[in-house]
């Protein structure tokens, strides 16, 4: 497969994926909205196509002539739960239908551990577990997975469930890093997995290139288990600046998120729906199946990836 489509090409993950695919010799069609900021795509030799997950005609054009689709586009911040359903579920369903109709050979869905739901402290998320999402975002992502799986007999479908993805260009995680810069570290919930953006896009390309059964689902992580305190300690190591840990009770976190969401009318990642996820005991996922089937070997842990990310933020004046 040489001609591929990346939805959400101008975004944090999508732009990194486009660059990685081009480096590997793929011909890349990048789907963006007419209002998208294209700064991360400058200098990349890709074919831009304007499309919207709510516009069926634009999706028909987007999938035309490609052999594989990487679906990264999604709503992650919204004041209304129905937006998650409209874009992340119904939009994905339409895209998959258009892709199957255009004889696309492989469809890679960027999903989330939120679709699986959390587990109890000390347990690990595995693909065989029954999904139990706790947020509107997670429930919509699970619906999107089921919608794509409806087409697994018509094209190769692979679903990748990512934990929090971090790295240069990420604005969603920036809110937390900025809190650390002020000298205090908010601590919520328990343990979780992470994945650096370059490892995330590498896993996606391996999923496309590997001969795995259609309908396969994989958790992707760097293989480690983290807490918010771990992140704070890495910040101290990298910046040589001390922090004060502040444990945030669920109620206070929920109220703060509600107020923040109300003030940010365009939507924000720190919202009540996200707090439901942050306060859970465990979001640690096993990447064993991905290592076996996809030969996925992460190259970045938080120590390495975090240092690159923080230094990039500083260089760009974001911190």
């Amino acid at each position: 497969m040489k001609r591929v489509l990346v939805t959400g090409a101008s975004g944090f993950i999508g732009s990194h994926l486009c660059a990685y695919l081009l480096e590997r010799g793929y011909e890349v069609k990048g789907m963006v909205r007419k209002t998208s900021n294209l700064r991360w795509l400058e200098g990349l030799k890709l074919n831009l196509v304007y499309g919207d997950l709510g516009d069926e005609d634009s999706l028909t054009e987007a999938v035309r002539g490609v052999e594989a689709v990487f679906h990264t586009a999604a709503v992650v911040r919204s004041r209304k739960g129905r937006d998650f359903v409209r874009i992340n579920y119904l939009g994905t369903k339409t895209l998959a239908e258009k892709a199957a109709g255009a004889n696309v050979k492989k469809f890679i869905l960027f999903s989330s551990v939120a679709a699986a739901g959390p587990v109890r402290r000390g347990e690990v998320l595995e693909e065989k577990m029954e999904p139990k999402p706790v947020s509107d975002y997670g429930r919509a992502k699970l619906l999107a997975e089921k919608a794509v799986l409806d087409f697994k007999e018509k094209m190769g479908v692979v679903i990748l469930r990512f934990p929090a993805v971090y790295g240069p260009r990420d604005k969603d995680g920036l809110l937390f890093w900025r809190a650390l810069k002020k000298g205090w570290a908010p601590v919520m919930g328990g343990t979780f997995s992470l994945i650096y953006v370059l490892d995330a896009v590498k896993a996606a390309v391996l999923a496309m290139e590997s001969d795995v059964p259609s309908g396969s689902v994989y958790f992707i992580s760097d293989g480690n288990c983290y807490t918010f305190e771990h992140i704070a300690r890495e910040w101290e190591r990298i910046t040589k600046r001390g922090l004060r840990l502040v444990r945030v009770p669920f109620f206070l976190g929920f109220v703060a998120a509600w107020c923040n969401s109300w003030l940010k009318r365009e939507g924000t990642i720190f919202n009540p729906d996200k707090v439901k996820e942050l306060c859970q005991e465990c979001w640690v996922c096993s990447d064993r199946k991905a290592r076996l089937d996809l030969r996925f070997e992460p190259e970045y842990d938080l120590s390495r990836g975090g240092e690159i990310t923080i230094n990039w933020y500083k260089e760009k004046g974001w911190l």
Side-chain angles (χ1 to χ4, degrees), residues 54-97:
D55 182 349
E56 290 193 28
D57 291 338
S58 69
L59 298 183
T60 299
E61 179 57 33
V63 300
R64 192 188 309 277
V66 302
E67 297 173 274
V69 172
F70 293 90
H71 184 32
T72 78
V75 171
V76 295
R77 60 182 75 83
S78 176
R79 300 181 69 199
K80 302 174 183 178
R82 62 176 177 268
D83 289 340
F84 292 132
V85 173
R86 180 174 59 86
I87 300 299
N88 296 353
Y89 164 47
L90 296 176
T92 298
K93 180 180 180 180
T94 302
L95 178 66
E97 181 180 4

Side-chain angles (χ1 to χ4, degrees), residues 116 119 124-130 161 219 284-286:
V119 290
V124 178
L125 282 165
E126 296 180 340
E127 291 82 359
K128 63 184 179 181
M129 293 179 173
E130 183 70 23
R161 288 175 175 167
F219 285 106
V284 177
C285 57
S286 170

Side-chain angles (χ1 to χ4, degrees), residues 143-197:
L143 287 173
E145 290 184 4
K146 292 178 178 179
V148 171
L149 288 173
D150 285 341
F151 297 95
K152 69 178 183 179
E153 303 301 328
K154 297 183 178 180
M155 59 183 175
V157 170
V158 180
I159 294 170
L160 303 179
R161 288 175 175 167
F162 294 99
V165 182
Y166 69 98
R169 307 176 191 170
D170 175 29
K171 287 187 175 181
D172 290 335
L174 185 59
L175 188 66
F176 183 75
W177 295 115
R178 283 177 172 168
L180 300 187
K181 185 181 179 182
K182 293 179 180 178
W184 62 281
V187 177
M188 301 178 72
T191 55
F192 48 83
S193 296
L194 293 171
I195 187 73
Y196 184 67
V197 64

Side-chain angles (χ1 to χ4, degrees), residues 10 31-38 49-52 55 58:
S10 62
M31 190 181 93
V32 297
R33 291 177 296 172
K34 292 183 178 180
T35 57
S36 296
N37 187 328
L38 305 181
V49 57
Y50 292 105
D52 190 294
D55 182 349
S58 69

Side-chain angles (χ1 to χ4, degrees), residues 219-233:
F219 285 106
I220 305 294
S221 80
D222 68 10
N224 296 301
C225 175
Y226 298 106
T227 65
F228 281 103
E229 184 174 353
H230 281 128
I231 300 177
R233 297 312 176 208

Side-chain angles (χ1 to χ4, degrees), residues 169-277:
R169 307 176 191 170
D170 175 29
K171 287 187 175 181
D172 290 335
L174 185 59
L175 188 66
F176 183 75
W177 295 115
R178 283 177 172 168
L180 300 187
K181 185 181 179 182
K182 293 179 180 178
W184 62 281
V187 177
M188 301 178 72
T191 55
F192 48 83
S193 296
L194 293 171
I195 187 73
Y196 184 67
V197 64
L198 294 186
D199 280 334
V201 301
K202 181 177 75 171
V205 175
L206 285 172
M208 180 194 66
E209 295 175 340
S210 301
D211 183 18
V212 296
S214 183
S216 295
V217 179
Y218 298 97
F219 285 106
I220 305 294
S221 80
D222 68 10
N224 296 301
C225 175
Y226 298 106
T227 65
F228 281 103
E229 184 174 353
H230 281 128
I231 300 177
R233 297 312 176 208
E234 284 299 326
W235 168 273
E236 291 179 325
R237 180 187 66 80
I238 295 165
T239 66
K240 305 296 190 295
R241 297 176 60 182
L243 291 170
R244 176 174 294 180
L245 300 182
V246 180
R247 177 156 295 277
V248 182
F250 171 75
F251 175 74
L252 290 181
F254 188 85
V255 171
W258 185 89
C259 293
N260 186 62
S261 181
W262 185 82
L263 291 170
K264 305 285 186 179
R265 296 186 181 277
E266 73 280 5
T268 173
I269 192 65
F270 184 52
N271 56 58
D273 197 55
K274 180 57 65 176
V275 170
K276 293 177 187 177
E277 298 176 0

